[in-house]
Amino acid sequence: MTNIISIQNIANHVGEEVTIKGWLYAKTGKGKIQFLRLRDGTGITQVVLFKPNLPPEVFQAGKRLSQESSIIVRGLVKENERAPGVPKGYEIEAADLEVVQIAEEYPITPKEHGIEFLLENRHLWIRSRKQWALLRLRATIMQALREWLNGQEFVEMSTPILTPAAGEGTSTLFEVEYFGDTIYLAQTGQLYNEANIYSFGKVYCFGPTFRAEKSKTRRHLTEFWMLEPEMAFCDLDGMMEIEEQMVSFMVQRCLEERAEELKVLERDTTMLEKVLAPFPRISYDDAMDKIKEIQANLTDPAQKKLLDITWGDDFGSPHETELTKLYNQPIFVYGFPTQCKAFYMEPWPNRPEVCKSVDLLAPEGYGEITGGSERISDPDLLLRRIHEENLPEEAFKWYLDLRRYGSVAHSGFGLGVERTVAWVAGVHHARETNPFPRMLGRVYP
RNA sequence: UCCUUGGUAGCUCAAUGGUAGAGCAAUCGGCUGUUAACCGAUCGGUUGUAAGUUCGAGUCUUACCCAAGGAGCCA
C-alpha cells in the first residue's frame, strides 16, 4: 500500500508513487490514452491512463467509468504544465485503478444548466468545481472570524434558537408551536449576548437565524448564519475598530489560504488586497448628500427614481450599491435616524432623532454585511423606548434588569455570513454561499 | 404581497395555427496529450395541468400549478 495523499498537497509528492481516493469529475479519452479528472474533496487532479503501460483490464476499467464513479488510483505524481486541476500543473501516471462503484447516469453534466435545475439538485451541485470552491471559502471565512475573536479574548456563547419574544420587528418571525404556546425562531442572539457580556466581558454567538421575510432577492435567505459579537465598556467608535480589524484579518486570511479557490471562482483579488483597516467612516447625513449628488447626475429617469430617498428612510439596495461604488474599501455608515432603527439603540448626544448605529457596506456593490449599534445602558431611557414602540414590557423584564446591576456602555453588531461570502467570493447570489439554502418557496433538498 | 419573464427529450434551447427538431448527456465504434476534445452511428417526447376556439393547437383564449428576476423589508 502506497501513501494515501490529499490532492491539495500533491506538489509535495512529485516523483513519489501515491494513492488517491475520490470521484471521477470528468473524462476524455483518445484511443490508447485516457485522461481522468479526479476529485478527492481537497482538490482536482488529472490521472493519465496510458494503455501500453497498464494491464489491459485496468485500462478497460478506465473506459467503463461514468461521471462521479468512485475510484482508488495508485500512480506516480508528475509535474506537467498541460495538466488541468486544482492545483493545476500536476498529474498522476496511473499504475493501478480500483473501481469502488460505477455511478448511475449523473444529471449534472459539464455543460450549462438552469438555476431551477441546479437548485433542485443542490445535493449534487455542491460537488461542482465552483460550488466546492465557494463552500471551502465559506468555511475559511467562518474559521478566520472565530480565530480573530478568540485571539482578542472573546468568549463564544450559544444563544437560544427557540425564543419567547422578538428581537426586532414582529412581522418577520417564524412561529413554532411549543407545548401549546406560540414561540419563535430566533432572529438574533443579541439580547442574550447583552446578558452574557456582564459575565464574560466580550462575547459572540455564531449560528443560524431566521427571518420569515417574503423577499425574493439575491441577498435574502430565510435561514442565514450570523456572527454577533457584543462588547462591554465599548462605544460606537470602539466597535468600528473591532469590525474593521476583524474583517481585514478575515479577508487577508482568505487570500493566503484560499488562493486556489478564488482562482476557480475567477475572483479579481486586487480589490480584496485593499481591504485593510481602517475603513472610511461616513455619517448618514453625509451619505445622504452623496446619494443626492449621484442622483442629480443621472440621466435615466428610472434609475433616478430608484435613488429617491428622504431623511429618515433607511437605505435600500440601490442606495448602498451606489454609495459603495465611490470607494474601493468597505465603508462604515453611522448615525442613522432613530425612526428606522431598533428600540435599543443609544441616542446620539444632543441629537435624539439620530442613534449610535453603524452599518458596514462591502465594496463593488455588495452592500450591507454588518449592522450594529451602541446599546442603551440607562434603564429609564430603555423603558421609555419600549413604551414608545408599544412593545410588551413584561417580555423585556429580564432585559431591563441588565441595566440595573452594573450597567455600562456596550455595543455589538451582527455579520451576515452569506452576504460576506458572496462579497469575498465575488458571486452574485447569496443562495450559492450556503450549502443548502432556505428561501421563500424552496426548502428542498 | 405586488410587478416582469418563463415552463417542449435527462440538460440547454429551436419550431408562420399545418409531419415536434438541434446541441450536449447516455450507448456502441475510431483516435498517443485531452482541457466543456474530436469523428461516425444508435437511443431519447402525455410540449406544466385542465378546459375551450379551430378541419387542425407546442403555438390562440381562460383558469390553475410551478419557477426565475426585481421591489418593499432586512444581515
Side-chain angles (χ1 to χ4, degrees), chain A residues 145-428:
Chain A
L145 292 170
R146 272 203 172 95
E147 189 177 321
W148 189 85
L149 289 167
N150 292 342
Q152 301 291 316
E153 304 183 326
F154 280 74
V155 180
E156 182 168 0
M157 283 287 123
S158 304
T159 52
I161 286 174
L162 296 173
T163 55
E168 319 210 335
T170 50
S171 60
T172 61
L173 290 165
F174 280 108
E175 293 186 356
V176 178
E177 204 235 89
Y178 192 76
F179 305 112
D181 284 338
T182 299
I183 59 167
Y184 310 96
L185 295 181
Q187 291 179 316
T188 170
Q190 177 204 319
L191 303 189
Y192 295 98
N193 271 345
E194 286 186 65
N196 289 332
I197 55 166
Y198 288 99
S199 179
F200 304 96
K202 292 188 283 189
V203 302
Y204 65 94
C205 62
F206 201 1
T209 50
F210 307 86
R211 308 253 165 118
E213 281 157 6
K214 297 199 169 170
S215 338
K216 279 184 68 166
T217 82
R218 66 192 185 92
R219 298 177 177 195
H220 284 86
L221 304 178
T222 54
E223 175 183 318
F224 64 95
W225 278 61
M226 190 152 66
L227 171 69
E228 296 181 273
E230 189 80 27
M231 298 77 68
F233 297 104
C234 180
D235 62 8
L236 195 69
D237 284 327
M239 181 172 76
M240 285 192 257
E241 278 170 35
I242 286 169
E243 287 194 49
E244 63 196 5
Q245 293 294 336
M246 183 183 79
V247 169
S248 303
F249 176 86
M250 176 273 290
V251 169
Q252 298 309 314
R253 171 58 59 86
C254 289
L255 288 170
E256 286 159 27
E257 287 194 354
R258 289 293 169 248
E260 288 291 337
E261 285 78 2
L262 289 166
K263 247 186 267 170
V264 169
L265 293 162
E266 294 173 355
R267 180 65 162 114
D268 174 4
T269 51
T270 56
M271 285 298 281
L272 296 178
E273 284 160 16
K274 295 176 190 157
V275 179
L276 295 167
F279 301 156
R281 301 178 184 191
I282 302 132
S283 70
Y284 174 88
D285 295 337
D286 288 348
M288 205 65 156
D289 290 344
K290 287 184 197 295
I291 288 168
K292 292 267 202 260
E293 199 181 309
I294 294 164
Q295 192 186 26
N297 291 332
L298 283 175
T299 45
D300 180 14
Q303 290 252 303
K304 234 182 165 87
K305 189 159 187 339
L306 269 179
L307 288 181
D308 269 349
I309 188 166
T310 47
W311 198 96
D313 292 344
D314 207 348
F315 294 140
S317 306
H319 309 112
E320 290 181 358
T321 303
E322 291 303 324
L323 209 50
T324 61
K325 281 182 186 165
L326 299 175
Y327 302 86
N328 54 19
Q329 285 248 73
I331 55 171
F332 287 113
V333 179
Y334 64 91
F336 285 85
T338 308
Q339 65 183 74
C340 67
K341 291 290 177 184
F343 71 95
Y344 48 71
M345 296 188 183
E346 177 76 12
W348 204 268
N350 306 317
R351 275 193 83 187
E353 76 281 10
V354 173
C355 61
K356 295 178 91 174
S357 57
V358 62
D359 286 357
L360 181 63
L361 310 185
E364 301 167 79
Y366 281 91
E368 186 175 356
I369 55 171
T370 81
S373 66
E374 185 173 324
R375 325 303 193 185
I376 293 173
S377 52
D378 179 71
D380 299 331
L381 176 59
L382 185 61
L383 185 60
R384 201 160 74 232
R385 291 290 294 129
I386 286 173
H387 289 157
E388 278 170 14
E389 301 280 328
N390 288 316
L391 295 166
E393 185 183 334
E394 193 54 32
F396 291 100
K397 197 167 167 292
W398 69 267
Y399 188 62
L400 284 157
D401 261 357
L402 304 176
R403 275 73 183 171
R404 295 204 174 90
Y405 308 106
S407 188
V408 298
H410 62 288
S411 302
F413 63 95
L415 175 141
V417 170
E418 283 76 10
R419 287 183 183 180
T420 302
V421 178
W423 161 52
V424 177
V427 300
H428 181 70

Side-chain angles (χ1 to χ4, degrees), chain A residues 29-49:
Chain A
K30 225 188 158 184
K32 292 193 173 64
I33 189 165
Q34 295 182 74
F35 302 96
L36 312 182
R37 215 137 312 143
L38 180 66
R39 296 189 296 113
D40 77 339
T42 73
I44 304 176
T45 198
Q46 174 162 278
V47 176
V48 183
L49 301 180

